[in-house]
Amino acid sequence: MEFPDLGKHCSEKTCKQLDFLPLKCDACKQDFCKAHFTCAAHKCPFAFTKDVQVPVCPLCNKPVPVKKGEIPDVVVGEHIDRDCNCHPGKKEKIFTFRCSKEGCRKKEMMRVSCDQCHGSFCIQHRHPLDHSCKHGGRPIGTAGCTAARASESKPSGALNTLSTSWLARRLRWKVKR
């Protein structure tokens, strides 16, 4: 009784408890005790002003703006029908770059192009010697030069396949030198 102005009574009609640390509702600006400070606990008539939720599209995960009075489910449905960039039935192809070598049906995820003829090839046929490139006489890259030197030093019968006996002879010849 020494401090009659200290604290405030709860604004809830059924409570009216004297609280020394009252909490103010953000929506209706009234003071409440610890048990009634939430909007749901004191049935705040202005709770809708603080309960702002932005729905998110389930397909593209982007927020969909909803105006006051609109039903969020209807707005999200319209977004999916009109503005959504992600369509569940449409799958994007990953392997889109087909090899230009005649008879090869392989596809790659990234474009592998020849520096000389600018054709798109698979990993196996990426070097000019592997796809019988007609443009320019010698390969440009170091890997192509190595492949050209190796093919020039091969015996005439082993142009397309590498014989293990030829390789063994070649290694023995290098060791003797």
Side-chain angles (χ1 to χ4, degrees), residues 113-117 125-152:
S113 60
C114 175
D115 293 335
Q116 296 175 7
C117 66
H125 301 119
R126 69 184 182 270
H127 296 296
L129 292 174
D130 294 331
H131 64 263
S132 305
C133 188
K134 304 285 189 235
H135 300 281
R138 297 282 254 170
I140 295 174
T142 57
C145 290
T146 307
R149 273 189 241 113
S151 68
E152 289 171 357

Side-chain angles (χ1 to χ4, degrees), residues 12 111 172:
E12 176 63 31
R111 181 176 170 85
R172 277 189 228 121

Side-chain angles (χ1 to χ4, degrees), residues 22-163:
L23 299 163
K24 189 172 278 207
C25 176
D26 290 339
C28 64
K29 308 291 186 213
Q30 293 183 3
D31 296 314
F32 294 96
C33 66
K34 182 174 110 175
H36 297 109
F37 80 95
T38 62
C39 290
H42 70 269
K43 298 178 183 120
C44 185
F46 301 103
F48 69 91
T49 60
K50 294 294 176 184
D51 187 25
V52 178
Q53 296 179 359
V54 178
V56 177
C57 176
L59 301 177
C60 64
N61 289 328
K62 291 184 181 175
V64 180
V66 178
K67 295 176 185 170
K68 286 188 177 182
E70 290 182 328
I71 301 169
D73 292 339
V74 174
V75 175
V76 171
E78 289 174 358
H79 164 78
I80 290 172
D81 293 340
R82 292 187 202 148
D83 305 325
C84 190
N85 295 331
C86 182
H87 298 289
K90 183 183 174 186
K91 289 187 178 179
E92 292 183 24
K93 294 182 179 179
I94 296 174
F95 295 94
T96 56
F97 298 102
R98 188 170 181 185
C99 182
S100 300
K101 169 104 170 137
E102 191 175 322
C104 184
R105 299 178 57 94
K106 288 187 181 176
K107 294 181 182 178
E108 297 294 332
M109 289 192 316
M110 294 177 56
R111 181 176 170 85
V112 180
S113 60
C114 175
D115 293 335
Q116 296 175 7
C117 66
H118 303 291
S120 179
F121 297 99
C122 66
I123 297 295
Q124 279 184 327
H125 301 119
R126 69 184 182 270
H127 296 296
L129 292 174
D130 294 331
H131 64 263
S132 305
C133 188
K134 304 285 189 235
H135 300 281
R138 297 282 254 170
I140 295 174
T142 57
C145 290
T146 307
R149 273 189 241 113
S151 68
E152 289 171 357
S153 63
K154 288 181 187 175
S156 61
L159 283 175
N160 294 334
T161 60
L162 186 63
S163 170

